Amino acid sequence: MAVPNIFGTATAAIPLSQLDQNFATAITIGNTAVYLGNTTTSLGNVTLTNVTISSGNVTLTGANVTGTANISTLQVTSNVSVGGNVAVSGNISALNGFVTIGNTTVGLGNTATSIGNLTVTNTLVTEMRETANVSATAATGTINYDALTQVVLYFTTDASGNFTVNFRGNSGTSLDTIMATGESLSATFLVTNGATAYYNSAVEVDGSSVTPKWQGGTAPTSGNASSIDSYTYVIIKTGSATFTVLASVTKFA
């Protein structure tokens, strides 16, 4: 904001009221109005370039750091964009703001226990747990295997007929949509058999028939009585709506 009165060419006495108007006019730094004689401890929406802060604590609110900043202690109260280098020798505390990892938004200072759509490269995993969907259901007819929510599917009631397994994303999402060409996924289906055994007689992906390549070269023609048959599938997307399925079955009793 420009000052209301200019005195650079004045040749007469300057009215005190005009000086008061000038002194009462704020300057704006970022989104903060600063008045002469006042102290400002917080600035927002400020771009800092090649700034060195030698001492004290710094609170950044909606700031863009485009150069290099050396800060002893940093406190973040809103979203901060860093385009250059920030060296912090002390502590960093985040009161607000967020980061996005994969498809998950995490508030700074919060804890995320589930993250999706994330590619991890050259990573050592010391322990991994997978979800198992356990259902008191008898295998028969067409069984929809929802890859978005199921890793291991376990039917604990004795199968009542031969069955088709249809792999999909979920009821509203195709497997073709969630997989890119060159990607694969693994699925395990545990089928409980009673005295009369049944087996996986057909495989589909998104409702379309796929002929699996079975381990050993022969598709099963029967199930295993009084046991749990563990079917394992490796599904490889080789092109648009085109899949290769490698399948195997193992008896557990």
Side-chain angles (χ1 to χ4, degrees):
M1 178 183 295
V3 293
N5 302 292
I6 305 298
F7 304 120
T9 59
T11 58
I14 299 172
L16 292 178
S17 60
Q18 292 183 0
L19 286 174
D20 289 341
Q21 283 182 321
N22 283 6
F23 291 147
T25 301
I27 62 172
T28 301
I29 304 174
N31 63 359
T32 304
V34 182
Y35 293 88
L36 294 178
N38 293 342
T39 299
T40 297
T41 59
S42 177
L43 298 176
N45 295 345
V46 178
T47 298
L48 303 177
T49 304
N50 295 328
V51 175
T52 298
I53 301 172
S54 58
S55 64
N57 299 332
V58 177
T59 299
L60 300 180
T61 302
N64 295 314
V65 180
T66 58
T68 300
N70 298 302
I71 303 171
S72 59
T73 300
L74 176 64
Q75 184 180 64
V76 180
T77 62
S78 186
N79 299 325
V80 175
S81 173
V82 179
N85 299 318
V86 176
V88 181
S89 58
N91 298 322
I92 300 177
S93 62
L95 302 183
N96 295 300
F98 61 88
V99 294
T100 299
I101 305 172
N103 63 358
T104 304
T105 298
V106 184
L108 296 177
N110 294 336
T111 300
T113 58
S114 177
I115 295 174
N117 294 350
L118 183 66
T119 299
V120 180
T121 303
N122 195 26
T123 300
L124 174 64
V125 179
T126 57
E127 180 183 358
M128 179 177 292
R129 292 177 295 168
E130 297 178 332
T131 57
N133 295 78
V134 181
S135 176
T137 302
T140 189
T142 297
I143 297 160
N144 290 312
Y145 196 112
D146 292 345
L148 284 173
T149 56
Q150 296 171 334
V151 179
V152 175
L153 180 60
Y154 180 17
F155 280 8
T156 60
T157 301
D158 291 349
S160 58
N162 295 334
F163 52 90
T164 297
V165 179
N166 176 47
F167 293 98
R168 62 186 188 179
N170 58 27
S171 60
T173 307
S174 67
L175 192 67
D176 187 55
T177 298
I178 66 173
M179 292 182 67
T181 298
E183 291 184 345
S184 68
L185 64 81
S186 298
T188 300
F189 183 29
L190 305 178
V191 178
T192 302
N193 276 314
T196 302
Y198 299 94
Y199 68 99
N200 179 198
S201 56
V203 172
E204 296 177 346
V205 175
D206 295 330
S208 297
S209 178
V210 176
T211 301
K213 298 182 183 297
W214 287 93
Q215 184 180 30
T218 303
T221 56
S222 63
N224 294 290
S226 303
S227 65
I228 297 173
D229 284 343
S230 175
Y231 291 88
T232 301
Y233 309 88
V234 177
I235 304 166
I236 306 165
K237 182 173 178 178
T238 58
S240 176
T242 305
F243 299 88
T244 295
V245 178
L246 308 180
S248 64
V249 59
T250 303
K251 173 185 176 181
F252 291 89

